[in-house]
Amino acid sequence: GAGVSQSPSNKVTEKGKDVELRCDPISGHTALYWYRQSLGQGLEFLIYFQGNSAPDKSGLPSDRFSAERTGGSVSTLTIQRTQQEDSAVYLCASSPDGSLTDTQYFGPGTRLTVL
Amino acid sequence: AQTVTQSQPEMSVQEAETVTLSCTYDTSENNYYLFWYKQPPSRQMILVIRQEAYKQQNATENRFSVNFQKAAKSFSLKISDSQLGDTAMYFCAFSRDIYEKLTFGTGTRLTIIP
C-alpha cells in the first residue's frame, strides 16, 4: 500500500483481556515505531525497531506490553491483561532507514478502549 | 531526560491571519533535532517542519516557519495566511540524534475560524 496501515481501527475490550494491534509499514522501510496517545496527552514513545538490530524497548510502560516485528515488516503490539489506563490511541510509524532526517510516516492509529 | 513543553492547549485564529504556537524544551545536548507535526482529525501525523540545532538559520516551508532560539531553548511555529485546512493538533517534538526516538509535547489544538 501507499502508506502505513493499522488494524483494527477501533478495539473495545474488557479489563483483563489480551489484545493484539497490527501495523503494516510502508514497503521497504526498515524502521518502525510504536507510540501511544492518551486523551489530553502528547505522544508517548513505546518501542522502536530498526532492521535486524535489537529493538529499543525503553518506552514500554510495563511488562504487560510487548511487540514483535516479523520478517522486518509487519509488527504486532500485544498488551496482556489490559487495564483501563491502557485506553488510548496507539500509533505506528515507519521511516526508510530510521534516520529522523527522513520523515516518520504515521498510520491512522488504533483506538483502544478498555472497559 | 529530555522534556518538551507546549503551554498553549488551545488556540484559535481567523482565516488568513498569522498565528504562532509556542514550544520550549529542556536538554543538555548541543546538537539535536526539533520537529513540528500536525495531526488532523484523521489521526495521521504529518511532518510540518524540521530544524537541526546546529543550523542557525530558521527553517521555512511555504507558509510555515520557525523561530528557533537555541539559548532560550525555544522553538515556536509561525503559520502565515492561515487556512481552514490548518485546523488540527500541532505537536512539537525533540530528538537527540537522527536515529533516536521522538519526545513529544502535549500538543496545541489550533482552530482556524472562517
Side-chain angles (χ1 to χ4, degrees), chain B:
Chain B
Q2 283 70 230
T3 59
V4 179
T5 302
Q6 293 179 252
S7 59
Q8 304 154 311
E10 294 189 23
M11 294 186 71
S12 60
V13 66
Q14 293 289 135
E15 188 177 7
E17 291 186 348
T18 294
V19 61
T20 299
L21 309 183
S22 301
C23 173
T24 58
Y25 57 94
D26 187 25
T27 183
S28 57
E29 303 288 333
N30 187 45
N31 291 322
Y32 46 86
Y33 295 81
L34 296 163
F35 306 82
W36 279 97
Y37 279 88
K38 170 185 177 181
Q39 186 183 42
S42 66
R43 296 207 297 252
Q44 289 273 12
M45 292 283 284
I46 303 165
L47 177 65
V48 175
I49 199 164
R50 175 180 62 227
Q51 175 81 40
E52 293 151 9
Y54 64 86
K55 291 186 177 180
Q56 293 184 340
Q57 187 172 7
N58 288 326
T60 299
E61 288 286 343
N62 301 315
R63 297 182 296 109
F64 299 88
S65 61
V66 299
N67 183 5
F68 173 47
Q69 301 290 328
K70 192 173 183 180
K73 297 181 181 175
S74 171
F75 183 61
S76 61
L77 174 70
K78 185 172 82 171
I79 306 174
S80 303
D81 185 26
S82 57
Q83 301 175 0
L84 296 179
D86 296 334
T87 292
M89 283 288 288
Y90 286 81
F91 291 95
C92 178
F94 171 99
S95 178
R96 287 188 317 178
D97 184 82
I98 57 172
Y99 291 100
E100 285 268 336
K101 66 197 181 202
L102 290 164
T103 300
F104 287 87
T106 53
T108 296
R109 183 176 301 281
L110 176 65
T111 302
I112 308 300
I113 303 167

Side-chain angles (χ1 to χ4, degrees), chain A residues 13 17-21 34-38 44-49 55-68 75-91 110 112-114:
Chain A
T13 190
K17 300 278 189 179
D18 298 352
V19 295
E20 287 189 350
L21 312 180
W34 282 99
Y35 295 90
R36 177 168 73 173
Q37 185 175 19
S38 303
E44 174 189 12
F45 165 79
L46 297 177
I47 189 169
Y48 162 46
F49 296 90
D56 176 356
K57 303 179 181 180
S58 60
L60 294 178
S62 77
D63 59 8
R64 296 186 296 104
F65 288 73
S66 62
E68 62 178 21
S75 177
T76 302
L77 176 69
T78 301
I79 309 173
Q80 296 178 311
R81 304 181 301 282
T82 52
Q83 304 294 312
Q84 288 183 331
E85 60 263 28
D86 298 335
S87 295
V89 174
Y90 289 81
L91 288 162
T110 294
L112 175 66
T113 303
V114 182

